[in-house]
Amino acid sequence: MSRQRTRHGPFDRYGRAGRGDVVRRQELLRIRGRSVAWVPPLLLLVAILVGDWNTTGDFRMISWIVLVPGIAAALCGVWGTAVFALLSLVVYVLADGAWPHEYQAGLADFVLVAIGGTLAVLACVVRVRDEHRALHMGDVTDTIRRTVLRPLPPGWGGLDHAGVYLTADAHARVGGDFYDIQPGPHGTRVLLGDVQGKGLGAVEAAAALLGTFREAAYHEADLVTVAERLETRMLRHRRHTVALGRSDGDRFATAVLLGFPDDDAEAVDLMLFGHEAPLAVEPGGVRRLAAPPGLPLGMRELAPGRPRVRRVPVAAGETLLLVTDGVTEARDGTGAFYPLADAVARAVARDPGVAEPARLAAFVRDGTLRHCGGHLADDTTIFALHRHGGRRGASGDGRSRA
């Protein structure tokens, strides 16, 4: 996922394309920091020249030199391609003039090499421009992603945590899934959710909910009030989009809201909003936390009244595993869903260390991708966490306190 202990780094290589492809291609064309992109077209030029010299007069290879600027256009920069286009033309003239008159390829092939070199330079200009655009758009989307899904420091809010974020659209890098940890004077709160739909509308809704969560989770003493603030924000966001004339006025979000109370180190306050309950994972097994089901955020009018919260016991050694439906609804070739709880239970039975947040998030990531053959049908978030070293919540300035 994007790089940290919600560890975005090693997890981020999945579900990505675009800018990363450009960067990786450039890295492959460097050895010890020096570009070797010029080597393939130069070797091809030499091979054609040697082949032409060693073939009979009835079979001339020198016109194949038109391939050289074409290869350079795919690998080199604009100036490098221009150099190979000019070099190919010069080599063609010298090599063709070295034979007796009856063996010369002639003006037609000279024109072919000249036109080929010109087109190669133009193609390289287009390629380099598109790569620069891809790099720029990658920087923009990375900035958006860091804004919506801010990096979380290790041990933030007194929690050991690790996360994976994979987008179904490999070029998008950010979608409707969201998560955050917010420490505050009333304990640490955690939110994970999934906005209905895709595209920029889903990203906007996720950003709106996260902004409200970060403020309400810090200032509000009652977790139910935090939930009500999230519900109100979703409704306000929908009214705003309708006023703009957009068609996503019925958008909603499923979510899990957790509160780690300062007064109980072995319990968590849990609220569900149309989302699957978290799993509690420990070396001894896996269990699903029970909490009253609630409607998704933005649908409170269907069942008026305050949402309900339940305090659930969580042992010190248990890791909470929260996922979005990109995991639970991942299908294999036969259409079977990924058996998350069973797979995790078998894994921790074989190796109790899998219950640690970083390893657990990586295990679920790999299992999900294997199960669906790497073809994600929806954005996927995996978030694993437990209290850090027996710490009990967080102080009002955001620092963990014992």
Side-chain angles (χ1 to χ4, degrees):
M1 167 188 155
S2 219
R3 309 182 189 236
Q4 69 160 300
R5 219 179 215 139
T6 296
R7 290 181 196 242
H8 297 273
F11 299 155
D12 206 33
R13 61 183 182 273
Y14 295 92
R16 292 301 198 90
R19 178 182 187 274
D21 292 345
V22 174
V23 173
R24 283 191 291 272
R25 182 163 61 252
Q26 297 301 324
E27 290 174 349
L28 289 173
L29 298 175
R30 289 184 175 274
I31 296 179
R32 295 182 180 178
R34 295 181 179 273
S35 174
V36 294
W38 53 272
V39 173
L42 181 62
L43 291 177
L44 179 61
L45 177 65
V46 172
I48 291 174
L49 188 60
V50 172
D52 182 74
W53 184 265
N54 288 281
T55 53
T56 64
D58 294 330
F59 181 74
R60 298 301 309 278
M61 293 180 60
I62 193 61
S63 60
W64 294 11
I65 209 167
V66 72
L67 299 175
V68 172
I71 297 298
L75 301 177
C76 303
V78 175
W79 284 108
T81 303
V83 167
F84 274 107
L86 181 60
L87 182 62
S88 297
L89 197 62
V90 171
V91 170
Y92 172 84
V93 171
L94 295 177
D96 198 44
W99 292 94
H101 176 72
E102 62 270 21
Y103 294 141
Q104 288 183 342
L107 179 62
D109 283 355
F110 173 84
V111 173
L112 174 66
V113 174
I115 293 176
T118 302
L119 293 177
V121 173
L122 294 176
C124 185
V125 169
V126 174
R127 191 208 91 214
V128 170
R129 183 190 63 191
D130 289 345
E131 287 187 350
H132 286 166
R133 181 183 295 116
L135 290 169
H136 175 69
M137 292 306 298
D139 291 338
V140 171
T141 53
D142 281 343
T143 300
I144 294 173
R145 180 170 177 162
R146 287 194 300 270
T147 301
V148 176
L149 300 178
R150 62 180 181 176
L152 299 175
W156 184 239
L159 302 177
D160 282 331
H161 53 85
V164 178
Y165 185 92
L166 309 175
T167 55
D169 181 353
H171 297 274
R173 307 189 189 202
V174 64
D177 286 6
F178 57 92
Y179 64 89
D180 202 3
I181 298 174
Q182 181 58 59
H186 309 292
T188 296
R189 274 73 183 267
V190 175
L191 177 68
L192 177 138
D194 180 7
V195 175
Q196 171 264 336
K198 301 182 184 297
L200 290 177
V203 177
E204 290 176 358
L209 290 171
L210 282 172
T212 297
F213 168 74
R214 289 162 185 162
E215 291 303 308
Y218 182 88
H219 291 288
E220 301 294 345
D222 186 6
L223 194 65
V224 173
T225 304
V226 177
E228 291 178 328
R229 293 274 300 275
L230 291 171
E231 173 71 18
T232 301
R233 186 67 183 93
M234 191 71 213
L235 295 175
R236 289 174 54 208
H237 177 74
R238 283 183 3 192
R239 287 195 294 269
H240 178 258
T241 58
V242 169
L244 291 174
R246 286 165 37 182
S247 60
D248 54 352
D250 58 350
R251 195 180 295 276
F252 60 86
T254 65
V256 178
L257 180 59
L258 299 176
F260 291 82
D262 283 337
D263 58 0
D264 193 342
E266 295 192 355
V268 63
D269 295 327
L270 173 62
M271 302 184 74
L272 299 177
F273 303 95
H275 204 96
E276 192 160 351
L279 296 177
V281 181
E282 64 173 345
V286 177
R287 65 186 177 95
R288 190 172 298 280
L289 301 186
L295 291 173
L297 298 173
M299 302 182 67
R300 179 76 58 77
E301 67 274 8
L302 299 179
R306 301 195 80 193
R308 292 178 293 171
V309 60
R310 174 173 294 173
R311 180 160 292 190
V312 181
V314 176
E318 288 185 308
T319 297
L320 299 184
L321 176 63
L322 294 76
V323 300
T324 58
D325 55 11
V327 175
T328 55
E329 296 183 5
R331 296 174 183 262
D332 62 11
T334 66
F337 292 115
Y338 177 53
L340 175 63
D342 292 341
V344 172
R346 289 193 297 269
V348 296
R350 291 192 302 268
D351 181 2
V354 173
E356 288 299 312
R359 292 189 60 188
L360 182 59
F363 170 81
V364 177
R365 174 205 65 194
D366 294 342
T368 301
L369 291 171
R370 280 195 303 269
H371 187 78
C372 67
H375 302 292
L376 297 172
D378 199 357
D379 296 339
T380 300
T381 298
I382 305 157
F383 205 42
L385 51 95
H386 62 59
R387 288 188 187 258
H388 173 63
R391 292 182 183 272
R392 306 183 56 180
S395 64
D397 59 3
R399 293 174 296 183
S400 300
R401 77 181 177 205

